[in-house]
Amino acid sequence: MRITVKYATLAALFAGITCFSSSSRADTGRVAVVFTKGGFIVGVGGGEGVLIYHGRQYPFTVSGMSVGFTIGASTTKLTGRALNLRGPASIEGSYGAIGAGGAVAAGAGGVQLQNGNGVILQLSGPRVGAEVSAAVGGVTIRLK
């Protein structure tokens, strides 16, 4: 019984050390995105952005859709951080988000998204237009 507890404790410590060491290799980059969205019930949008990673710029395209209560159109200029990067290509993929927000004339928006690679985008910025939404949505990012 003592040997089993001892091995379980060692396995837990090893797993913790592995998690800390693998996350310490992840980097952070800066991101800027301009995203335009419009719709009635189903919102569709797209835009462009740039990842600044280790002093280099990596342009990308953004496409997305939301399903739920969406009326109007807006353009959002977001800036922020990309966390847990393992290289520029790890920013690619589908990001999921569930949220509610709105803008009339001009307002501020913020979002936190995560893709299957574990990359987390923390973005915020002004929204211009007239849109109200309470929708489930997501975006896809592809490097150019």
Side-chain angles (χ1 to χ4, degrees):
M1 180 73 168
R2 288 185 189 184
I3 293 173
T4 305
V5 172
K6 195 182 276 187
Y7 283 123
T9 304
L10 286 173
L13 285 173
F14 180 73
I17 291 169
T18 303
C19 289
F20 287 125
S21 66
S22 64
S23 64
S24 67
R25 286 183 255 153
D27 283 328
T28 300
R30 292 184 321 203
V31 178
V33 179
V34 176
F35 190 79
T36 301
K37 178 178 146 190
F40 181 75
I41 307 301
V42 175
V44 178
E48 295 185 337
V50 65
L51 166 67
I52 301 170
Y53 181 73
H54 289 264
R56 294 191 59 204
Q57 294 187 3
Y58 299 90
F60 58 83
T61 60
V62 182
S63 60
M65 184 174 88
S66 62
V67 178
F69 176 74
T70 300
I71 297 174
S74 67
T75 298
T76 307
K77 296 178 182 180
L78 300 169
T79 59
R81 302 182 308 166
L83 307 171
N84 301 331
L85 291 169
R86 304 227 184 269
S90 63
I91 197 169
E92 290 189 308
S94 296
Y95 290 79
I98 298 175
V104 176
V111 67
Q112 181 165 310
L113 305 166
Q114 184 170 2
N115 71 5
N117 298 326
V119 174
I120 298 171
L121 299 180
Q122 296 176 335
L123 304 170
S124 64
R127 190 182 302 183
V128 178
E131 177 202 354
V132 176
S133 69
V136 176
V139 296
T140 301
I141 293 179
R142 296 281 175 241
L143 290 173
K144 288 185 178 180

